[in-house]
Amino acid sequence: MDTTWMDIAAAHGALAVGLLVVGVVVVALLIGAFVLGVRVRRREPRPPRPDEQPRLPAEGPVREVRENREPAEVSKSENRLTAHDLPGHGNIPSRPSPSQERPRWTEGGSGSFGSGGT
């Protein structure tokens, strides 16, 4: 009697059982992750109600300020400067420019790249 087919069938059965066990473990991990997510969500504060939302100031919306700023000059030295060598540890202060007109490109000059020619 040839038992080769029975050995092959037994091997496939073990593989099927192994895949079934792996599937059950994956489903258990997904359910555990969901339960953990629900617990974490319950510990978080609730979302604010409409009456707790931020309100617009009485003087109206805040407007942005547009002004031209001039950077502070960096002293020239023979050594390369790093951020901690600069005043304010790299946070170079700036001051308002005396002229608040927006800089415009000269006629025939380049905008952001190129030679500026025609």
Side-chain angles (χ1 to χ4, degrees):
M1 176 178 222
D2 190 18
T3 61
T4 309
W5 291 107
M6 295 175 90
D7 293 337
I8 293 173
H12 284 293
L15 180 65
V17 170
L19 287 176
L20 183 65
V21 169
V22 169
V24 169
V25 167
V26 167
V27 169
L29 286 174
L30 288 173
I31 290 172
F34 179 77
V35 170
L36 181 64
V38 168
R39 287 182 183 172
V40 168
R41 177 79 172 145
R42 284 185 182 156
R43 278 189 260 139
E44 292 178 352
R46 63 170 177 71
R49 294 188 309 254
D51 59 330
E52 297 172 343
Q53 296 290 332
R55 298 283 177 211
L56 194 63
E59 55 271 359
V62 178
R63 304 282 183 219
E64 71 178 54
V65 176
R66 290 185 181 220
E67 63 181 4
N68 292 333
R69 311 267 313 161
E70 289 183 353
E73 293 296 323
V74 177
S75 61
K76 294 186 179 186
S77 67
E78 293 182 18
N79 297 333
R80 183 176 185 174
L81 293 175
T82 58
H84 68 273
D85 294 328
L86 297 172
H89 300 288
N91 298 322
I92 299 175
S94 61
R95 60 184 180 277
S97 173
S99 170
Q100 290 300 316
E101 294 179 16
R102 291 180 58 199
R104 300 291 182 187
W105 298 110
T106 58
E107 195 65 37
S110 66
S112 60
F113 60 88
S115 64
T118 55

